[in-house]
């Protein structure tokens, strides 16, 4: 009876002989068959081209692939709590690193992982710099392309959600409506392929004479130096109503003295005059709310005072620090509003985003689709 060892040895010998025979046949075909050699060269070039396409794609190929990958990750749910975000970030980065080391064929999936990690990281710019140093160049370019395509998609759908549907106005491109296309030109007058939109605001219903069509709250505002006299709110710019003088003027006191001379003695009258000191008329309003620190900024309500402090006055209040005091003195001497407006603008940006993050965390955000756009993006798109 044949043992198992002999069978295994026979199979091994047979496989070896078959392998050597194929190698000999392959070598023979390669040496003597021109068609076979051409086929080998075509196959080798095809493989090399595929590898090059994956590792070093063109700009158009990167953009197309980025669009495809964005569609793939768009439906994936994102974590909400800080703890979930941290776990999600670590998992995506770890998976992306493993895929990057697997070869060029895994680069697209690796880019998706790094892109998802980027969306939950608190400091995206810092993470992008880390990616640039640690990831393969092809993966990094793909991640950047996905970010660029996401911004384009976000800008494209902006006018679908803004202005709000209940505002009775829509923003449309007049060039598209008229069937005309306007292209951007360089400084030398050379026409480019970049289309310049010609947007305008259109009413969505009939408007009566004198009817308010659309209102929008300003991002920042500032009083002219001549109006910084305590009569106008430093935040909403509304006029602060004046109250009647809180104390009596000297003339009023003298009139009362004359009326009482006939009924009271001279000593009593002189005593009353001494007790009633002449006081200048004041222009303070009972509705005025001052900054509790500097007492320079006045507001029409407690809400305006608190909103102003949260957004910018906490940084600009002259009593808060030396830098703020020097800044206030400089703007007063120069009578320039631009520095104040810029400072208020950046403070307002930070305050709005903080409040939006808090609202999202508490689940009380009520701005709908417009909530994903920052104030900066709003101004940049509407520019």
């Amino acid at each position: 009876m044949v043992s198992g060892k002999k069978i295994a040895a026979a199979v091994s010998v047979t496989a070896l002989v078959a392998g050597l025979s194929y190698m000999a046949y392959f070598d023979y075909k390669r040496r003597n068959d021109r068609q076979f050699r051409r086929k080998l060269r075509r196959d080798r070039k095809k493989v090399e081209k595929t590898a090059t396409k994956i590792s070093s794609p063109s700009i158009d190929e990167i953009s197309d692939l980025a669009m495809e990958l964005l569609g793939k990750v768009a439906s994936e749910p994102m974590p909400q709590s800080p703890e979930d975000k941290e776990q999600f970030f670590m998992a995506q980065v770890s998976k992306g690193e493993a895929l990057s080391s697997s070869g060029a064929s895994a680069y697209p999936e690796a880019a998706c992982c790094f892109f998802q990690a980027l969306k939950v990281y608190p400091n995206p710019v810092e993470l992008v710099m880390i990616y640039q140093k640690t990831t393969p160049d092809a993966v990094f370019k793909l991640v950047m392309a996905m970010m660029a395509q996401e911004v384009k998609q976000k800008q494209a759908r902006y006018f679908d959600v803004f202005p709000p549907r209940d505002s009775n106005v829509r923003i449309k491109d007049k060039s598209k409506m008229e069937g005309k296309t306007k292209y951007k030109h360089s400084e030398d007058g050379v026409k480019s392929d970049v289309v310049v939109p010609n947007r305008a605001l259109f009413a969505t219903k009939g408007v009566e004479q004198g009817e308010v069509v659309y209102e929008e709250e300003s991002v920042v505002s500032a009083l002219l130096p001549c109006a910084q006299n305590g009569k106008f709110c430093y935040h909403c710019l509304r006029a602060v109503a004046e109250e009647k003088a809180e104390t009596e003027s000297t003339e009023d006191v003298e009139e009362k003295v004359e009326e009482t001379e006939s009924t009271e003695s001279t000593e009593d009258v002189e005593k009353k005059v001494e007790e009633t000191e002449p006081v200048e008329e004041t222009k303070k309003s009972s509705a005025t709310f001052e900054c509790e620190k500097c007492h320079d900024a006045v507001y029409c309500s407690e809400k305006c005072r608190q909103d102003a402090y949260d957004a910018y006055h906490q940084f600009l209040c002259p009593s808060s620090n030396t830098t703020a005091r020097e800044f206030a003195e400089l703007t007063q001497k120069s009578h320039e509003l631009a520095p104040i407006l810029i400072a208020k603008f950046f403070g307002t940006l930070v305050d709005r985003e903080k409040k939006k993050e808090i609202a999202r965390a508490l689940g009380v955000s009520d701005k709908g689709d417009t909530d994903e756009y920052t104030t900066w993006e709003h101004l940049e798109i509407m520019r």
Side-chain angles (χ1 to χ4, degrees):
M1 186 175 179
V2 182
S3 63
K5 291 184 178 180
K6 290 182 178 180
I7 294 175
V11 172
S12 300
V13 170
T14 303
L16 180 61
V17 171
L20 292 174
S21 300
Y22 178 77
M23 291 175 62
Y25 172 77
F26 181 85
D27 185 65
Y28 173 80
K29 293 285 287 183
R30 183 178 62 82
R31 291 175 180 271
N32 299 286
D33 192 338
R34 291 184 178 180
Q35 295 297 330
F36 187 74
R37 288 199 299 270
R38 289 176 182 175
K39 183 178 182 301
L40 289 177
R41 283 197 294 268
R42 286 197 300 267
D43 292 343
R44 184 169 61 251
K45 289 181 179 180
K46 186 177 180 180
V47 172
E48 291 175 353
K49 185 177 181 180
T50 303
T52 303
K53 185 177 180 179
I54 294 175
S55 59
S56 302
S58 65
I59 295 177
D60 292 337
E61 290 170 341
I62 291 177
S63 299
D64 293 341
L65 183 56
M67 289 284 290
E68 180 183 341
L69 295 176
L70 277 177
K72 179 181 177 181
V73 301
S75 58
E76 296 182 7
M78 300 297 293
Q80 300 299 324
S81 66
E83 295 79 10
D84 292 341
K85 286 183 178 180
E86 183 177 358
Q87 294 179 2
F88 180 81
F89 171 78
M90 297 301 297
Q92 293 297 315
V93 170
S94 178
K95 184 178 178 182
E97 291 175 346
L99 290 169
S100 296
S101 60
S102 299
S105 60
Y107 283 175
E109 192 174 352
C112 288
C113 294
F114 289 129
F115 177 77
Q116 293 289 74
L118 187 66
K119 295 186 70 173
V120 298
Y121 194 72
N123 191 347
V125 177
E126 179 185 1
L127 188 58
V128 166
M129 296 177 66
I130 296 174
Y131 283 169
Q132 189 175 15
K133 296 177 181 179
T134 58
T135 61
D137 186 60
V139 175
F140 177 74
K141 288 181 179 179
L142 196 51
V143 173
M144 293 297 99
M146 292 177 69
M147 292 178 62
Q149 290 296 331
E150 185 184 42
V151 171
K152 289 182 180 180
Q153 290 180 0
K154 191 175 181 180
Q155 291 178 343
R157 65 175 180 269
Y158 177 78
F159 295 109
D160 294 334
V161 298
F162 183 86
R165 295 291 182 182
D166 58 355
S167 61
N168 302 321
V169 292
R170 300 302 298 164
I171 295 176
K172 300 179 182 179
D173 192 340
K174 292 177 62 178
S175 298
K176 290 183 178 180
M177 296 173 64
E178 298 171 357
K180 301 177 181 178
T181 304
K182 184 179 179 181
Y183 293 94
K184 186 177 181 179
H185 290 72
S186 64
E187 296 180 355
D188 300 332
V190 180
K191 181 180 176 181
S192 68
D193 295 332
V194 180
V195 178
V196 179
N198 184 19
R199 298 189 181 96
L201 200 63
F202 292 84
T204 57
K205 68 169 188 176
V207 181
E208 299 292 336
Q209 184 177 359
E211 181 182 354
V212 176
V213 179
Y214 177 67
E215 290 182 331
E216 186 177 8
E217 183 182 352
S218 63
V219 179
V220 291
S221 57
L223 288 169
L224 293 170
C226 61
Q228 297 177 10
N229 51 15
K231 295 182 179 181
F232 300 92
C233 177
Y234 273 46
H235 186 63
C236 70
L237 311 187
R238 291 189 178 93
V240 177
E242 294 183 1
E243 70 170 359
K244 295 180 180 180
E246 295 177 355
T247 56
E248 297 176 317
S249 62
T250 306
E251 291 79 4
D252 294 335
V253 174
E254 291 177 351
E255 289 179 4
K256 286 190 176 183
V257 170
E258 292 175 359
E259 292 175 358
T260 56
E261 280 183 347
S262 60
T263 58
E264 297 181 4
S265 64
T266 305
E267 293 180 359
D268 294 336
V269 171
E270 291 178 351
K271 184 176 181 181
K272 285 191 175 183
V273 170
E274 290 177 357
E275 292 176 352
T276 309
E277 296 292 337
V279 180
E280 294 182 359
E281 295 182 2
T282 67
K283 293 184 179 180
K284 288 186 178 181
S285 168
S286 59
T288 299
F289 296 82
E290 297 180 344
C291 171
E292 297 176 352
K293 294 182 179 180
C294 65
H295 302 288
D296 292 332
V298 297
Y299 306 96
C300 64
S301 65
E302 177 61 28
K303 182 180 184 303
C304 274
R305 176 166 64 179
Q306 190 60 50
D307 289 347
Y309 184 82
D310 292 342
Y312 52 82
H313 194 66
Q314 59 176 314
F315 312 112
L316 301 179
C317 180
S319 300
S320 60
N321 54 66
T322 305
T323 303
R325 183 167 58 253
E326 293 176 351
F327 179 78
E329 293 174 354
L330 176 65
T331 54
Q332 288 174 357
K333 291 178 181 178
S334 63
H335 298 284
E336 292 287 343
L337 292 180
I340 298 176
L341 288 171
I342 293 172
K344 285 185 174 183
F345 176 70
F346 285 107
T348 301
L349 287 185
V350 174
D351 178 61
R352 287 188 176 184
E353 292 310 305
K354 282 184 177 179
K355 289 180 178 178
K356 284 168 67 173
E357 287 296 328
I358 294 174
R360 290 194 194 104
L362 297 176
V364 295
S365 179
D366 59 353
K367 293 186 178 181
D369 295 330
T370 59
D371 190 53
E372 66 172 314
Y373 296 94
T374 65
T375 303
W376 182 271
E377 288 173 330
H378 172 78
L379 295 177
E380 182 66 18
I381 296 172
M382 293 292 290
R383 188 162 57 93

